[in-house]
């Protein structure tokens, strides 16, 4: 195949149409494997970048740790032969320099690197002043400030062609997911950086291939800017993450069936109807707050009464009874009982705070 272009510019994330699509194997295994994935994806669905890891952060030694520098050669050949931008993980300043030497200007910072400000800073310094596109994955654990901090390190160095990548959060809890999505965290990141594209990585959230489509659709429903999905020509034989990778055929089918929703509807009718419903929500929320205020007034009276009569603030039996009866009422009214439980836990916490304050200020 003839080279169309020697070295591609870094992808300009803000110029891409949404959803931005990144796909490719967890790990680069051979040039043939990369070519196979790249051509099967390029034919039937658009991808903006081919992803492939060459330095693989593995939990335990003696597992496949990536092909290393040799893979950079394959990636840069694919990039120029197919005119298809590639993106790979860099975990050290040296990785970053090597990637640049090979004309790889799109890189991602892995979840295990984002947790370490020293490593991130070293990579920032290696990339400063270069034409690069950097995707910053969320840290392994649910620490939004750490995620924000890594992004800010790049911004501070003038590297603004950035995206966040939501790959879920490790947890001890038993869950159907490999990494809990905790959608409120990427939503909060978006609130803090309204202009930052946030791309979802359904593969590392799901951990199994059959959960990938649901997570991908949910990400688009939440108006995320794109998807990074692991695709392997023969997932079962993959040297890393075999359970979660899709075949090119499944990937192409998934992309064809995803529903892309309007972030900002243009139809005046839709805008007006949404406005009307939002006005109703505003009213309900006002009522909700004044109802809570009445509850807290009674809480204060009870607190005062307990204080005067030397009764302890926490009454475990009563608290159990509240939890059970409110969850039951919620279920009866077709509400999610777990939500009601969480809500009352929060309300009870605040009640306890108010009542203990009465004791300590008297
Ligand atoms: C990957 O994308 O292959 C990877 C290692 O991801 P993460 O850093 O999210 O675990
Ligand atoms: Mn992987």
């Amino acid at each position: 195949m003839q080279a169309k272009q020697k070295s591609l510019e870094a992808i300009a994330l803000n110029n891409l149409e949404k959803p931005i699509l990144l796909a490719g194997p967890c790990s680069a295994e051979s040039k043939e494997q990369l070519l196979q994935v790249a051509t099967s994806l390029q034919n039937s669905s658009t991808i903006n970048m081919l992803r492939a890891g060459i330095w693989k952060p593995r939990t335990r030694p003696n597992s496949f740790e990536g092909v290393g520098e040799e893979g950079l050669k394959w990636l840069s050949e694919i990039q120029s032969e197919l005119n298809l931008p590639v993106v790979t993980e860099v975990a050290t300043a040296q990785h970053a320099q090597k990637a640049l030497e090979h004309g790889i200007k799109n890189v991602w910072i892995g979840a295990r690197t984002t947790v370490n400000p020293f490593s991130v800073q070293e990579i920032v310094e290696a990339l400063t002043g270069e034409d690069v596109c950097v995707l910053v994955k969320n840290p392994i654990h649910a620490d939004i400030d750490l995620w924000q901090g890594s992004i800010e390190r790049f911004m501070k160095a003038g590297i603004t062609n950035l995206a966040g990548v939501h790959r879920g959060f490790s947890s001890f809890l038993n869950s159907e997911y490999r990494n809990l999505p905790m959608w409120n965290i990427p939503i909060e990141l978006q609130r803090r950086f309204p202009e930052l594209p946030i791309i979802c990585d359904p593969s590392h959230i799901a951990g199994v291939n059959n959960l990938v489509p649901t997570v991908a659709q949910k990400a688009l429903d939440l108006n995320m800017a794109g998807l990074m999905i692991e695709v392997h020509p023969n997932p079962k034989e993959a040297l890393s993450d075999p359970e979660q990778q899709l075949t090119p055929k499944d990937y192409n089918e998934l992309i064809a069936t995803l529903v892309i929703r309007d972030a900002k509807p243009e139809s005046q009718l839709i805008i007006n109807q949404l406005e009307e419903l939002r006005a109703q929500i505003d009213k309900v929320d006002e009522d909700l707050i004044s109802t809570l205020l009445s509850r807290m007034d009674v809480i204060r009276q009870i607190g005062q009464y307990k204080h005067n009569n030397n009764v302890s603030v926490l009454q475990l039996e009563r608290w159990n009874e509240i939890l059970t009866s409110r969850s039951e009422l919620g279920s009866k009214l077709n509400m999610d009982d777990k939500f009601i439980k969480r809500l009352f836990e929060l309300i009870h916490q605040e009640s306890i705070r108010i009542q203990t304050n009465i004791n300590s200020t008297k």
Side-chain angles (χ1 to χ4, degrees):
M1 210 172 297
Q2 262 230 301
K4 285 187 189 157
Q5 201 174 323
K6 266 231 141 17
S7 171
L8 299 186
E9 309 279 293
I11 271 276
L13 287 163
N14 280 325
N15 295 343
L16 298 180
E17 217 178 284
K18 311 279 181 324
I20 300 167
L21 296 175
L22 285 65
C26 176
S27 300
E29 295 169 7
S30 66
K31 182 166 174 197
E32 290 62 44
Q33 171 231 24
L34 292 173
L35 265 177
Q36 219 178 329
V37 179
T39 48
S40 52
L41 297 181
Q42 256 192 325
N43 290 344
S44 10
S45 31
T46 32
I47 57 164
N48 300 102
M49 286 188 243
L50 177 76
R51 63 142 285 152
I54 54 174
W55 294 289
K56 299 303 297 176
R58 304 311 299 277
T59 306
R60 315 243 340 249
N62 303 327
S63 17
F64 173 67
E65 292 188 323
V67 294
E69 217 177 312
E70 194 186 359
L72 280 180
K73 210 172 93 223
W74 307 334
L75 286 175
S76 86
E77 284 168 10
I78 302 255
Q79 186 163 253
S80 50
E81 287 168 13
L82 302 186
N83 203 14
L84 172 65
V86 297
V87 59
T88 197
E89 173 168 350
V90 293
T92 66
Q94 203 198 10
H95 291 168
Q97 278 149 6
K98 294 268 177 225
L100 289 176
E101 279 165 24
H102 285 79
I104 313 290
K105 297 172 181 172
N106 310 303
V107 296
W108 83 76
I109 308 299
R112 291 158 192 80
T113 307
T114 305
V115 291
N116 185 342
F118 289 124
S119 307
V120 173
Q121 192 58 38
E122 282 172 17
I123 298 170
V124 167
E125 280 156 29
L127 295 176
T128 299
E130 304 286 346
D131 167 37
V132 281
C133 154
V134 182
L135 314 177
V136 183
K137 288 203 168 196
N138 67 251
I140 293 270
H141 60 294
D143 184 339
I144 186 168
D145 293 332
L146 208 46
W147 196 6
Q148 173 174 356
S150 294
I151 292 165
E152 284 170 340
R153 284 178 191 277
F154 285 98
M155 288 176 166
K156 214 173 136 209
I159 301 173
T160 53
N161 187 18
L162 291 169
V165 178
H166 167 230
R167 50 79 78 199
F169 303 91
S170 170
S171 162
F172 290 119
L173 300 175
N174 271 338
S175 153
E176 60 185 321
Y177 300 106
R178 176 178 176 191
N179 291 293
L180 298 181
M182 303 176 83
W183 296 100
N184 54 323
I185 295 185
I187 290 172
E188 173 58 16
L189 188 78
Q190 191 75 88
R191 199 187 60 77
R192 295 185 190 183
F193 297 107
E195 302 302 323
L196 181 79
I198 302 181
I199 292 167
C200 181
D201 171 347
S203 307
H204 287 89
I205 291 176
V208 284
N209 54 16
N210 59 9
L211 251 187
V212 170
T214 324
V215 179
Q217 183 61 58
K218 171 100 186 197
L220 295 191
D221 291 350
L222 291 175
N223 196 28
M224 294 181 88
L227 300 169
M228 180 198 262
I229 297 183
E230 288 189 340
V231 181
H232 191 284
N234 186 1
K236 286 197 183 77
E237 302 297 318
L239 299 180
S240 58
D241 288 347
E243 299 87 7
Q244 71 193 29
Q245 305 203 56
L246 302 187
T247 61
K249 181 170 168 284
D250 286 346
Y251 172 83
N252 289 328
E253 271 171 28
L254 166 63
I255 299 304
T257 52
L258 283 173
V259 183
I260 296 161
R261 312 209 189 261
D262 272 348
K264 290 200 180 97
E266 274 167 25
S267 141
Q268 202 51 48
L269 182 69
I270 296 181
I271 294 173
N272 291 348
Q273 283 179 348
L274 276 177
E275 284 300 311
E276 222 172 89
L277 289 167
R278 282 180 181 148
Q280 288 182 37
I281 288 282
D282 291 347
K283 174 75 183 71
V284 173
D285 284 353
E286 273 172 36
D287 294 349
L288 205 59
I289 291 176
S290 64
T291 304
L292 279 172
L293 187 68
S294 320
R295 192 186 196 279
M296 292 312 164
D297 282 344
V298 184
I299 287 294
R300 262 184 213 96
Q301 287 177 40
I302 299 182
Q304 192 60 58
Y305 189 81
K306 284 179 183 163
H307 178 77
N308 296 345
N309 292 285
N310 215 17
V311 176
S312 70
V313 167
L314 181 63
Q315 297 289 318
L316 213 49
E317 252 176 57
R318 167 68 178 153
W319 169 224
N320 267 327
E321 179 204 319
I322 290 182
L323 258 189
T324 318
S325 61
R326 300 332 183 236
S327 304
E328 275 170 14
L329 181 61
S331 307
K332 220 161 92 191
L333 298 174
N334 266 339
M335 291 188 74
D336 180 353
D337 55 343
K338 288 200 195 72
F339 164 68
I340 298 289
K341 187 167 169 272
R342 284 209 316 272
L343 181 65
F344 274 90
E345 278 166 355
L346 201 63
I347 291 174
H348 187 250
Q349 233 175 53
E350 178 61 2
S351 307
I352 294 280
R353 190 189 68 80
I354 290 173
Q355 294 193 350
T356 40
N357 266 354
I358 294 176
N359 275 349
S360 60
T361 51
K362 294 282 142 102

